[in-house]
Amino acid sequence: MAKLKPSKGAPYARILGVGGYRPTRVVPNEVILEKIDSSDEWIRSRSGIETRHWANDEETVAAMSIEASGKAIADAGISVEQIGGVIVSTVSHFKQTPAVATEIADKLGTKKAAAFDISAGCAGFGYGLTLAKGMIVEGSAEYVLVIGVERLSDLTDLEDRATAFLFGDGAGAVVVGPSQEPEIGPTVWGSEGDKSETIKQTVPWTDYRTGEVDKFPAITQEGQAVFRWAVFEMAKVAQQALDAAGITPDELDVFIPHQANERIIDSMVKTLKLPEHVTVARDVRTTGNTSAASIPLAMERLLATGEAKSGDTALVIGFGAGLVYAATVVTLP
């Protein structure tokens, strides 16, 4: 029996750079209120959202990803040619094939990097980060670009009072590379498919194509059920990620949860009993819920504003449609 050569990857991996892109158009709650019976105060009290960004025709999933990726690569201090893998998490790239990751890899100028898309909803960044870590430790790539990108304005029913105000567009990217120390902790991830109806697309694309429905598919959710699941179950997952990394809440510097809803964020902070010194990402206020893009966008903003600094220990957790989730502890770039 032949023996395979052992992998020649790095002992560990870490995030080396981060970049983000928010569309130029800023949409206040007043615009949302033109089509739903609600109020600015109600939207803010229920979600914390004041504004969100919506993409124009030129700000495609690929275009936003390329902008965010360029910043992340520059921040990492490497060349595009060194990128060996491109992982894109999105639910709003409307071409079934080819993967948008291949277009991004080509337009960035990588040397035929491995490129693929994943669909893991709001947990997609965590899934991509875990895959990138594995590629680097296994030795199939030295540097991997992980992108979370969404144009959720294309999947928003502006007449749905429960969701019209939630979603925004944008792209966030990180470069993951080799490390001699553990800088990305073990991932606690999973799925609860029995709850898949709580966040879903209203109808399949085929129903729209065949004329069975005349309204373009959109994202819908059961708000209270999602809220209870996120607050109670995801706080447990977050604690498991801390335990897996050997970190206590007192040793944590930053908490970057998926930017779904500020009430969920506040409840998780309380349940986890995070100390006051822990910086909590609240990018949802001005960016809205950008699904897979929300964690890297929030990370980029915290570092840009100085609320977080390089070397800080951060707990990141994403959760959403599926229902799926992923949490890990990382060292910020």
Side-chain angles (χ1 to χ4, degrees):
M1 183 184 297
K3 290 186 178 180
L4 301 180
K5 290 182 178 180
S7 299
K8 294 183 179 180
Y12 305 104
R14 68 167 297 162
I15 300 174
L16 297 172
V18 60
Y21 180 82
R22 293 172 174 81
T24 55
R25 183 186 178 192
V26 178
V27 180
N29 288 337
E30 286 72 17
V31 172
I32 306 298
L33 295 173
E34 292 173 3
K35 294 193 175 183
I36 61 171
D37 180 18
S38 188
S39 68
D40 178 63
E41 190 279 329
W42 187 90
I43 293 174
R44 292 184 189 227
S45 66
R46 291 302 181 100
S47 67
I49 298 172
E50 302 167 7
T51 61
R52 74 283 292 146
H53 295 255
W54 283 355
N56 60 34
D57 291 344
E58 287 73 39
E59 292 167 321
T60 63
V61 165
M64 292 191 294
S65 297
I66 290 167
E67 289 290 331
S69 297
K71 295 175 184 177
I73 293 167
D75 192 42
I78 66 169
S79 67
V80 173
E81 292 80 6
Q82 291 175 277
I83 298 291
V86 177
I87 303 172
V88 177
S89 179
T90 185
V91 299
S92 47
H93 172 58
F94 292 149
K95 287 184 179 179
Q96 197 72 38
T97 192
V100 71
T102 60
E103 177 185 349
I104 294 165
D106 176 63
K107 289 185 175 178
L108 281 172
T110 69
K111 291 186 175 180
K112 299 182 180 180
F116 57 95
D117 297 352
I118 60 174
S119 176
C122 306
F125 175 75
Y127 274 54
L129 187 65
T130 304
L131 294 173
K133 173 185 173 183
M135 291 167 70
I136 290 159
V137 173
E138 187 270 339
S140 61
E142 186 176 11
Y143 299 98
V144 178
L145 185 63
V146 180
I147 303 166
V149 57
E150 302 291 2
R151 274 183 53 125
L152 294 181
S153 58
D154 293 333
L155 284 168
T156 299
D157 180 355
L158 294 178
E159 296 178 349
D160 179 2
R161 188 173 184 271
T163 61
F165 60 90
L166 286 175
F167 302 119
D169 303 337
V174 299
V175 172
V176 183
S179 173
Q180 295 303 307
E181 300 292 335
E183 308 284 4
I184 301 175
T187 301
V188 178
W189 57 353
S191 64
E192 297 185 31
D194 60 315
K195 299 180 179 65
S196 61
E197 291 295 301
T198 56
I199 307 175
K200 64 180 183 179
Q201 185 172 302
T202 49
V203 295
W205 298 111
T206 48
D207 287 2
Y208 183 71
R209 182 189 66 187
T210 58
E212 293 180 50
V213 295
D214 57 7
K215 197 169 187 177
F216 195 75
I219 297 174
T220 186
Q221 69 176 32
E222 299 173 14
Q224 287 303 312
V226 173
F227 182 87
R228 289 192 297 269
W229 176 76
V231 168
F232 297 108
E233 298 304 318
M234 291 305 97
K236 296 176 186 176
V237 171
Q239 183 60 58
Q240 290 169 14
L242 289 173
D243 294 341
I247 298 293
T248 68
D250 287 340
E251 295 174 299
L252 199 63
D253 299 307
V254 184
F255 180 42
I256 311 177
H258 163 49
Q259 302 293 290
N261 179 309
E262 193 166 33
R263 289 174 63 204
I264 291 175
I265 295 170
D266 289 340
S267 296
M268 290 182 72
V269 168
K270 184 177 181 181
T271 302
L272 288 167
K273 297 180 180 178
L274 296 183
E276 289 188 5
H277 76 260
V278 175
T279 297
V280 179
R282 300 183 186 280
D283 195 43
V284 67
R285 292 174 178 171
T286 56
T287 306
N289 179 342
T290 55
S291 189
S294 79
I295 290 175
L297 278 174
M299 182 185 295
E300 185 251 4
R301 174 160 281 173
L302 289 175
L303 289 166
T305 60
E307 296 173 81
K309 62 183 184 298
S310 174
D312 278 353
T313 300
L315 169 63
V316 299
I317 178 170
F319 45 86
L323 295 171
V324 293
Y325 54 87
T328 188
V329 176
V330 304
T331 300
L332 295 182

